[in-house]
Amino acid sequence: MAKARQDGSDNDAAQRRVQMADIARLAGVSTATVSRALNHSPLVSEETRRRILELAASLKYSINIGAQNLRLKQNRTISVLIPFDRKIHQNLTDPFLLAMLGSLADALTEQGFDMLFSRIATDELGAAAAAPFDSGRVVGIILVGQWGRHQQLNELAARKVPIVVWGAQLPQQLYCCVGSDNVSGGMLATQHLLEQGRRRIAFFGDIELPEPAQRYRGYCAALEKHGIAVDPRLQVSTPFLPIGGSAAVETLEARAISYDAVFACSDLLAMTAIDSLRAHGKRVPDDVAVVGYDDIDQSAYFHPRLTTIRQPIGAAGRALVAALLALIDGTPAASVELPTQLIVRASAGEERAAPA
Amino acid sequence: MAKARQDGSDNDAAQRRVQMADIARLAGVSTATVSRALNHSPLVSEETRRRILELAASLKYSINIGAQNLRLKQNRTISVLIPFDRKIHQNLTDPFLLAMLGSLADALTEQGFDMLFSRIATDELGAAAAAPFDSGRVVGIILVGQWGRHQQLNELAARKVPIVVWGAQLPQQLYCCVGSDNVSGGMLATQHLLEQGRRRIAFFGDIELPEPAQRYRGYCAALEKHGIAVDPRLQVSTPFLPIGGSAAVETLEARAISYDAVFACSDLLAMTAIDSLRAHGKRVPDDVAVVGYDDIDQSAYFHPRLTTIRQPIGAAGRALVAALLALIDGTPAASVELPTQLIVRASAGEERAAPA
């Protein structure tokens, strides 16, 4: 972020000038008078000064020194965006996204902020994402997911829109990103299945997307460490949708290859896959061991209770909000990679076998 | 709502006057000049008129005729509130509340509105709930749940805050309410269990709250229709929390009474109860048949797949938004009771037995 921010003071000054001109026009006075009023010059009458200050406050104009702190005092609203893909315009029902939304709402409430929540199409993720900030309605933006718009997000960061993104760390990333350690998450899941004696481990997830791609890298690394060749027929690209798990099971079955385990890139995929495996007469974990990803609440009381990789959803909301507030305050906010953790329950075998 | 709105035009006029004075003060002109400018009087110069119109727009002032429509054009933000109870400050993880939040986000997006989402404590449900409307940040409020604040909500409606509430229809209700038909939902669930030959049907839900209370009335009515006495020991008041289902099962077990079915007031309670019954060595549905309430997405791939009472969550979001937009537009919005529907899956027995 350091590079992206280095010309910040010039731009801020430009923005101040424009807004000062607005105030002058609306108050029916000159820009010089506004400037004098804001600087408590004796050349401006008390009545005019009060009028200009009130107008400045109404227009959310940030006065002079400590501008950002003042802005925070006046406007405590953060934009939260969960985009949708026009091609598969799904409703907002994904349990992980909803849990993240709840976590952000809680974290913002703790900090005394309101959330301006909007859904926009992924192809609007450039200018439209920044619109509520540009118009002064919010002081910063939290975006859940990168949605294949890495370049547009870099552009927003380059023009110093305060934005923090939930997603994967990528090369040449100018924007601040909070996410979990996907590579080690993929390794932990695969390692656990290998320790259960499984050797034909299917991978469910769309490896065109950054996070599943990183989890797949961890999966491949764990297999290679065990001297097992990666079989691309065991990888099934399936969307993060309720139909995803059963679609992936049908694809695997159609390929007519053997498999004794599934590592699914979300708990939703894992649960719907288990439901579908059951319909195919396969017992979980006896015939097919399943590990999910996310550790949404439901994993703890699903049947069989789901072994999964925990993304710390509560901590994620707080980390996103903390990074954004730092950015707004003018502090460079480093990207954060939260740790992932294996949660052993029943869906991949209750006990750990000795490593093969 | 008709009574609550009858003096609306006077109040609106008062509000207009106050705002006109604000514009006059900020523009450094008289109220009469503002009035003339807004009415295109030739007595006001074009420059002054343009300045005043721009100022009015910046301050979200609603001009004259069609004020409400204009307000809608300028400000397309709706406040959505999901309160929390200070005593049990739970995080926002309830799958039904999150699904409702997703549904509202989708319905507002369809109508071109943003959502200002906030959590407030239930004891602030009077003035604090109306604050974003009173300050002009939003044009209306959607509140999810009544949270025992019936009187405060009536007061908000009486002073014409545009508010629509998700919840139960109650006597002496001034505010517009959208909810599902809880009494018939309770009857449908209980009737289905009776048709499966169950006679000792436990009820899980806090009957101090309006919606569970109405479902309990439906439960009692169905039992009485079948000539079965209501046994109060089978009713367990348990919170809508992840611990709710297992807490209720433990309570029932501690009472050492026999039961062959459970009607739970949410799918979350049903699922966590099933998990707990399983831990007690009871098979679902063989030993204990279970019916839930809500039909959240997860019910379709839970194991056993959950028989439940569907609340139409997608339709609920659209109905809440439609009622609120009507209210904002000055149309009296009648309360709406959405139909509930029995969804037969596996957790209460796959087939229907002949009624006893």
Side-chain angles (χ1 to χ4, degrees):
Chain A
M1 294 304 299
K3 186 171 183 319
R5 297 189 59 84
Q6 73 195 11
D7 59 342
S9 49
D10 289 344
N11 264 32
D12 283 0
Q15 198 180 8
R16 264 206 293 280
R17 275 195 301 276
V18 170
Q19 294 189 337
M20 206 176 281
D22 290 338
I23 294 173
R25 193 178 63 254
L26 292 168
V29 300
S30 70
T31 311
T33 301
V34 173
S35 174
R36 286 189 197 108
L38 296 177
N39 289 300
H40 298 256
S41 160
L43 298 174
V44 179
S45 78
E46 185 53 29
E47 183 274 329
T48 302
R49 197 181 79 85
R50 202 177 302 135
R51 187 156 67 86
I52 286 168
L53 285 180
E54 192 181 344
L55 194 49
S58 303
L59 297 173
K60 306 228 190 302
Y61 175 80
S62 323
I63 298 160
N64 293 340
I65 303 141
Q68 282 161 321
N69 285 333
L70 191 66
R71 210 179 301 155
L72 268 182
K73 268 177 212 143
Q74 294 176 337
N75 180 346
R76 297 188 68 88
T77 308
I78 300 288
S79 163
V80 172
L81 296 171
I82 298 185
F84 59 89
D85 185 329
R86 283 190 205 275
K87 288 198 294 286
I88 50 168
H89 184 81
Q90 79 271 38
N91 287 326
L92 184 52
T93 58
D94 181 89
F96 176 75
L97 292 178
L98 288 172
M100 185 63 90
L101 186 56
S103 166
L104 284 167
D106 286 326
L108 289 168
T109 303
E110 268 170 31
Q111 299 288 331
F113 279 82
D114 283 322
M115 174 198 287
L116 182 71
F117 178 70
S118 335
R119 302 201 72 197
I120 59 174
T122 51
D123 54 28
E124 295 173 326
L125 258 180
F133 171 76
D134 291 335
S135 66
R137 295 176 72 201
V138 303
V139 288
I141 300 165
I142 294 173
L143 170 66
V144 181
Q146 285 148 315
W147 304 87
R149 312 298 281 181
H150 184 59
Q151 189 48 44
Q152 286 81 354
L153 298 178
N154 269 344
E155 284 161 20
L156 291 180
R159 71 172 178 93
K160 275 167 303 310
V161 173
I163 183 166
V164 176
V165 180
W166 172 263
Q169 314 274 333
L170 299 175
Q172 281 91 48
Q173 187 161 281
L174 296 178
Y175 52 93
C176 175
C177 191
V178 175
S180 70
D181 185 344
N182 293 292
V183 178
S184 87
M187 283 191 68
L188 286 170
T190 311
Q191 181 75 28
H192 179 65
L193 288 166
L194 290 165
E195 285 171 6
Q196 305 301 308
R198 308 297 164 135
R199 290 295 173 272
R200 299 284 300 161
I201 303 171
F203 178 96
F204 289 0
D206 184 353
I207 58 176
E208 303 273 305
L209 301 174
E211 287 160 292
Q214 294 182 352
R215 293 169 201 171
Y216 189 62
R217 267 176 42 212
Y219 160 91
C220 293
L223 289 176
E224 280 156 20
K225 204 171 134 203
H226 275 68
I228 297 175
V230 173
D231 181 349
R233 294 172 307 166
L234 285 168
Q235 188 274 318
V236 184
S237 283
T238 196
F240 283 127
L241 294 175
I243 56 145
S246 74
V249 168
E250 296 310 323
T251 301
L252 259 195
E253 291 288 323
R255 288 181 188 166
I257 51 173
S258 71
Y259 60 102
D260 57 15
V262 168
F263 166 39
C265 273
S266 78
D267 289 344
L268 175 65
L269 288 184
M271 291 177 185
T272 54
I274 289 171
D275 184 60
S276 186
L277 288 167
R278 202 176 270 130
H280 276 277
K282 303 203 172 187
R283 292 165 304 161
V284 176
D286 306 45
D287 301 325
V288 180
V290 177
V291 176
Y293 205 100
D294 293 338
D295 197 28
I296 56 174
D297 279 16
Q298 292 87 329
S299 303
Y301 51 85
F302 191 75
H303 184 72
R305 293 178 185 166
L306 201 63
T307 294
T308 188
I309 303 298
R310 176 177 293 165
Q311 301 206 78
I313 300 175
R318 288 190 294 273
L320 284 160
V321 171
L324 182 62
L325 295 186
L327 262 186
I328 292 168
D329 209 38
T331 314
S335 286
V336 179
E337 198 155 79
L338 300 168
T340 42
Q341 187 188 355
L342 172 70
I343 305 296
V344 177
R345 296 199 185 96
S347 66
E350 198 77 57
E351 308 297 335
R352 286 174 186 250
Chain B
M1 296 304 298
K3 188 172 182 318
R5 297 188 60 82
Q6 71 195 13
D7 59 342
S9 49
D10 288 345
N11 264 31
D12 284 0
Q15 197 179 8
R16 265 206 292 280
R17 274 195 301 274
V18 169
Q19 295 189 335
M20 205 177 282
D22 290 338
I23 294 172
R25 192 176 64 255
L26 292 168
V29 299
S30 71
T31 311
T33 301
V34 173
S35 175
R36 285 188 196 109
L38 297 177
N39 289 301
H40 298 257
S41 160
L43 297 174
V44 178
S45 78
E46 184 54 29
E47 182 274 330
T48 303
R49 198 181 78 85
R50 203 178 302 136
R51 188 156 68 86
I52 287 168
L53 285 180
E54 192 181 345
L55 193 49
S58 303
L59 298 173
K60 307 229 190 300
Y61 175 81
S62 326
I63 297 159
N64 293 341
I65 303 142
Q68 282 160 322
N69 285 333
L70 191 65
R71 209 179 302 154
L72 271 181
K73 269 177 210 143
Q74 295 175 337
N75 181 345
R76 297 187 67 86
T77 307
I78 300 288
S79 162
V80 172
L81 296 171
I82 298 185
F84 60 88
D85 185 330
R86 283 191 205 275
K87 287 197 295 286
I88 51 169
H89 185 82
Q90 78 270 38
N91 286 327
L92 184 53
T93 57
D94 181 88
F96 176 75
L97 291 179
L98 287 172
M100 185 63 90
L101 186 56
S103 167
L104 283 166
D106 286 326
L108 289 168
T109 303
E110 269 171 31
Q111 299 288 330
F113 280 82
D114 284 322
M115 173 198 285
L116 182 71
F117 179 70
S118 335
R119 303 201 71 198
I120 59 174
T122 51
D123 54 27
E124 295 174 325
L125 258 180
F133 171 76
D134 290 336
S135 67
R137 294 176 71 201
V138 303
V139 289
I141 299 164
I142 294 173
L143 170 66
V144 181
Q146 285 149 315
W147 305 86
R149 312 297 281 182
H150 184 59
Q151 189 48 43
Q152 286 81 352
L153 298 178
N154 270 344
E155 284 162 18
L156 291 181
R159 71 172 177 94
K160 277 167 304 309
V161 173
I163 184 166
V164 176
V165 180
W166 172 264
Q169 314 273 334
L170 299 175
Q172 281 92 48
Q173 188 161 280
L174 296 178
Y175 52 93
C176 175
C177 191
V178 175
S180 71
D181 185 344
N182 293 291
V183 178
S184 87
M187 284 191 68
L188 286 169
T190 312
Q191 181 75 28
H192 179 65
L193 288 165
L194 290 166
E195 285 170 6
Q196 305 300 308
R198 308 295 165 136
R199 290 295 174 270
R200 299 284 302 161
I201 303 171
F203 179 96
F204 288 0
D206 183 353
I207 58 177
E208 302 273 305
L209 301 174
E211 289 161 290
Q214 294 182 352
R215 293 169 200 170
Y216 189 62
R217 268 175 43 211
Y219 159 92
C220 294
L223 290 176
E224 280 157 19
K225 205 172 134 202
H226 275 69
I228 297 174
V230 172
D231 181 349
R233 293 172 307 167
L234 286 168
Q235 188 273 319
V236 184
S237 282
T238 196
F240 283 126
L241 292 176
I243 56 145
S246 75
V249 168
E250 297 310 323
T251 302
L252 260 195
E253 291 287 324
R255 288 181 189 167
I257 52 174
S258 71
Y259 60 101
D260 56 16
V262 168
F263 166 39
C265 273
S266 78
D267 289 344
L268 174 65
L269 288 184
M271 292 176 184
T272 53
I274 288 171
D275 183 60
S276 186
L277 288 167
R278 202 177 271 130
H280 277 277
K282 303 204 172 188
R283 292 165 304 162
V284 176
D286 306 44
D287 301 324
V288 180
V290 177
V291 176
Y293 206 100
D294 293 337
D295 196 28
I296 56 174
D297 279 16
Q298 292 86 328
S299 303
Y301 51 84
F302 190 76
H303 184 72
R305 292 179 185 165
L306 201 63
T307 294
T308 188
I309 303 298
R310 175 177 293 164
Q311 301 205 79
I313 299 174
R318 287 190 296 273
L320 285 159
V321 171
L324 183 62
L325 294 185
L327 261 186
I328 293 168
D329 209 38
T331 314
S335 286
V336 178
E337 198 156 78
L338 299 168
T340 41
Q341 188 188 354
L342 173 71
I343 305 296
V344 178
R345 296 200 185 94
S347 67
E350 198 77 56
E351 308 298 335
R352 285 174 186 252

